[in-house]
């Protein structure tokens, strides 16, 4: 028999722990990729395939996630997939050869896909149950988890080069996070898919409806914008802007810091102006800022353009996740899988354009992606502000 519902703050911090968990787990093994490369004697192509296996596992998890969300609900699926991620981390610390490493990383991708959908379903359920915005701040804790993983990796490697020792410490911290999160998670199986007016439709048609595909399109191009900036900003600063070796990394730093700060504040913006306006305005700022910075050239204009991307793109994916969750767990799983595809394909797309033309045109593709989000967001039915959220916006 379920116990009393947790308070908003308790539930919010429990769900935030899941987001932090995912960022921390991913950041931990990515930080030790050079050590894994050396231990398994891998070439650059094999490392690329290893990373692709993780993404492919996450993208291919959609059918499994859809079934598990219906059978287990978001709470049980989140806890189960998080436990699997801890086990994968332990396996990666001792994996003896490349084929088993590929298998472990593919399993990691599947578990990431499951946890990603489950924790976003929890976040959407939190907002609906308490009629308050929280999703952007939850996504900010994912970034905080990545940062914490990087700091831990730096500290541990200063003491020992042992990957098993590092991953053991990380696993202990992950289990503490999971233990703290468990009591406050919501018992939630997701809303039924939104029923359109008129004759009843088959589930498949509802899943692949125009509205769901619009949300998926916004997610794809939103994640292309995020992923491409993370992967290409430093190289653009170095090769095109001709920044020094010490200044070039500021590109990704500016994007990351602005995105983190914006996500901390974005729930207030959502409460005041609504999700649709925040997404449309933010993606337009990202597109315009980057489009103006590219022809201007120079370190300062480029960094300002990158800052516009971090600021404007910050709330896109949190808002799209909330909108998709309104249409049911299947729609949420599909949109999340499409987002993973954008995150994987975006950097490769920029690389293709850069190879065919130049990197400046490749970065212009990022601005175009943000513009496509702006246009797509005009047609998505965003959640209407309620009387409560309107009142909170005035306080």
């Amino acid at each position: 028999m379920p116990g009393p519902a947790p308070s908003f703050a308790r539930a919010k911090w429990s769900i935030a722990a899941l987001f932090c968990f995912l960022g921390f787990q991913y950041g931990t093994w990515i930080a030790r990729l050079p050590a894994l490369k050396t231990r398994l004697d891998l070439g650059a192509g094999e490392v690329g395939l290893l990373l692709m296996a993780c993404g492919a596992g996450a993208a291919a998890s959609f059918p499994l996630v859809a079934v598990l969300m219906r059978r287990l609900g978001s709470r049980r699926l989140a806890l189960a997939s998080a436990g699997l991620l801890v086990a994968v981390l332990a396996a990666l610390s001792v994996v003896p050869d490349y084929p088993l490493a590929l298998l472990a990383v593919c399993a990691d991708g599947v578990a990431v896909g499951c946890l990603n959908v489950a924790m976003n379903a929890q976040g959407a359920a939190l907002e609906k149950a308490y009629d308050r915005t929280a999703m952007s701040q939850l996504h900010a804790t994912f970034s905080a988890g990545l940062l914490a993983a990087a700091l831990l990796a730096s500290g541990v490697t200063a003491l020992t080069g042992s990957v098993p020792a590092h991953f053991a410490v990380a696993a202990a911290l992950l289990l503490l996070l999971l233990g703290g999160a468990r009591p406050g998670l919501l018992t939630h199986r997701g809303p039924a898919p939104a029923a359109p007016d008129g004759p009843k439709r088959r589930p498949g048609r509802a899943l692949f409806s125009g509205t769901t595909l619009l949300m998926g399109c916004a997610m794809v191009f939103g994640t292309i914008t995020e992923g491409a900036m993370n992967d290409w900003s430093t190289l653009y600063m170095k090769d095109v802007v001709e920044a020094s070796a010490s200044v070039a990394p500021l590109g990704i730093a500016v994007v990351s810091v602005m995105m983190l700060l914006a996500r901390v504040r974005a729930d207030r913006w959502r409460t005041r102006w609504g999700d649709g306006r925040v997404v449309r305005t933010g993606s337009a700022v990202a597109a315009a800022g980057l489009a103006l910075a590219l022809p201007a050239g120079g370190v300062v204009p480029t960094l300002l353009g990158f800052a516009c991307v971090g600021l404007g793109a910050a709330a896109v994916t949190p808002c799209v996740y909330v909108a998709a969750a309104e249409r049911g767990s299947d729609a949420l799983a599909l949109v999340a899988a499409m987002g993973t595809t954008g995150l994987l394909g975006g950097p490769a797309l920029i690389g293709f354009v850069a190879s065919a033309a130049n990197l400046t045109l490749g970065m212009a593709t990022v601005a175009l992606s943000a513009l496509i989000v702006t246009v797509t967001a005009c047609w998505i039915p965003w959640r209407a502000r309620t009387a409560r959220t309107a009142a909170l916006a005035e306080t």
Side-chain angles (χ1 to χ4, degrees):
M1 189 172 181
S7 67
F8 174 78
R10 180 70 181 93
K12 178 183 174 181
W13 284 112
S14 292
I15 299 167
L18 292 179
F19 280 81
C20 184
F21 180 104
L22 186 57
F24 188 85
Q25 193 272 352
Y26 178 73
T28 295
W29 77 264
I30 284 295
R32 299 311 298 269
L33 197 56
L36 293 172
K37 177 179 180 291
T38 300
R39 179 161 61 85
L40 299 176
D41 193 23
L42 306 180
E46 291 169 313
V47 172
L49 184 59
L50 197 68
L51 293 173
M52 188 174 293
C54 179
S61 66
F62 160 63
L64 176 64
V65 176
V67 171
L68 292 178
M69 278 288 289
R70 288 193 296 270
R71 293 187 177 181
L72 301 179
S74 60
R75 182 179 186 273
R76 291 166 64 189
L77 179 58
L79 294 172
S81 54
L84 178 57
L85 285 171
V86 175
V88 167
L89 199 62
L92 281 173
S93 69
V94 296
V95 67
D97 54 43
Y98 185 59
L100 287 177
L102 281 174
L103 184 62
V105 169
C106 186
D108 183 90
V110 172
V112 165
C114 291
L115 181 54
N116 182 42
V117 171
M119 70 188 191
N120 277 287
Q122 283 276 311
L126 175 73
E127 291 198 346
K128 189 168 186 178
Y130 295 91
D131 199 11
R132 295 175 64 177
T133 53
M135 189 69 91
S136 294
Q137 291 182 12
L138 295 176
H139 278 254
T141 60
F142 173 85
S143 301
L146 284 172
L147 176 60
L151 294 175
L152 177 68
S154 178
V156 170
T157 51
L159 298 175
T160 174
S162 170
V163 174
H166 176 195
F167 284 9
V169 173
L173 293 174
L174 287 170
L175 290 173
L176 285 175
L177 265 178
L178 194 58
R182 185 176 180 276
L185 295 179
L186 302 175
T187 303
H188 167 256
R189 287 184 176 271
D197 295 331
K200 186 176 180 180
R201 296 184 181 181
R202 289 182 297 176
R205 290 186 178 180
L207 175 60
F208 293 101
S209 68
T211 298
T212 303
L213 294 178
L214 278 173
M215 294 175 184
C217 181
M219 184 67 82
V220 166
F221 287 100
T223 52
I224 284 176
T225 303
E226 287 187 39
M229 292 303 297
N230 288 335
D231 285 14
W232 287 100
S233 56
T234 301
L235 192 61
Y236 181 84
M237 289 286 293
K238 179 179 178 294
D239 291 352
V240 178
V241 181
E242 298 182 350
S244 66
S246 60
V247 172
L250 290 179
I252 190 171
V254 165
V255 174
S256 301
V257 169
M258 288 302 296
M259 185 166 288
L260 179 59
L261 293 176
R263 281 179 169 168
V264 169
R265 296 289 301 176
D267 286 318
R268 292 180 181 271
W269 304 337
R270 294 174 60 213
T271 299
R272 181 174 294 275
W273 295 303
D275 289 9
R277 185 179 296 182
V278 168
V279 171
R280 291 190 298 270
T281 303
S283 53
V285 166
L290 187 57
L292 291 173
L294 294 177
V299 171
V300 173
T302 301
L303 290 178
L304 288 174
F306 287 1
C308 288
V309 175
L311 174 66
V316 170
T317 53
C319 290
V320 176
Y321 274 123
V322 170
E326 288 285 306
R327 300 188 66 81
S329 58
D330 286 359
L332 176 60
L334 176 61
V335 169
M338 292 177 72
T340 302
T341 302
L343 199 62
L344 289 173
L349 173 64
I350 305 310
F352 175 77
V353 174
S355 298
N358 54 62
L359 188 51
T360 300
L361 190 58
M363 294 299 283
T365 307
V366 179
L368 178 61
S369 296
L371 181 61
I372 292 173
V373 175
T374 305
V375 175
T376 305
C378 295
W379 300 94
I380 293 175
W382 302 100
R383 179 191 292 178
R385 293 196 305 163
T386 64
R388 174 179 171 80
T389 56
L392 287 173
E394 299 300 324
T395 61

